[in-house]
Amino acid sequence: MGDMTSTPREPSRLAPEIAARLKRTPDGLLPAIAQQYDTGEVLMLGWMDDEALHRTLTTGRGTYWSRSRREYWVKGDTSGHVQYVKSVALDCDADTVLLKVDQVGAACHTGDRTCFDAGTLPLGQ
């Protein structure tokens, strides 16, 4: 049995034909990568359940499941750093979601543009 502290509780309105394709973690989540649509810059990784994916597809705003707070959150609702979704794709295994977005301001909760600029790890050591 997975960690029930992070399991979403709300029933999903995701289209059954999409839901049937998804391969989720034991706690019902999919990693969701946000990428700037025009530059290819990788911005962040969040987690989605079926309902978060449904909300993202229907509202055009990046919507995620917070594993720590156990609630849905829409990117930018509190920070003003909104993600306008341009496209959503599943990877070949249907276990990861790629959101191509127009990110307004910072994507990272630290205030940085991307979550992946905190330090490059050395190769070949």
Side-chain angles (χ1 to χ4, degrees):
M1 187 177 227
D3 177 7
M4 295 306 288
T5 62
S6 63
T7 302
R9 303 285 182 216
E10 186 161 321
S12 174
R13 297 171 287 165
L14 185 65
E17 63 274 13
I18 296 173
R21 296 175 59 193
L22 303 179
K23 294 180 185 156
R24 304 161 195 81
T25 63
D27 55 1
L29 300 173
L30 293 165
I33 301 164
Q35 179 181 32
Q36 179 64 33
Y37 82 100
D38 53 354
T39 65
E41 180 182 28
V42 177
L43 300 170
M44 59 170 276
L45 180 134
W47 293 92
M48 291 184 168
D49 68 346
D50 289 19
E51 179 61 17
L53 181 55
H54 166 75
R55 293 180 188 189
T56 297
L57 292 169
T58 57
T59 67
R61 296 273 310 276
T63 305
Y64 302 91
W65 174 257
S66 171
R67 297 179 301 167
S68 59
R69 295 188 315 267
R70 297 180 58 208
E71 65 185 13
Y72 294 101
W73 60 278
V74 179
K75 184 68 178 163
D77 271 2
T78 56
S79 68
H81 299 161
V82 178
Q83 282 180 353
Y84 295 107
V85 178
K86 300 289 188 176
S87 68
V88 179
L90 292 173
D91 75 341
C92 59
D93 295 321
D95 64 1
T96 304
V97 178
L98 175 63
L99 283 71
K100 291 193 178 181
V101 304
D102 191 8
Q103 176 69 50
V104 176
C108 188
H109 71 280
T110 64
D112 289 339
R113 170 73 182 165
T114 171
C115 294
F116 295 99
D117 63 359
T120 305
L121 300 177
L123 295 172
Q125 295 186 13

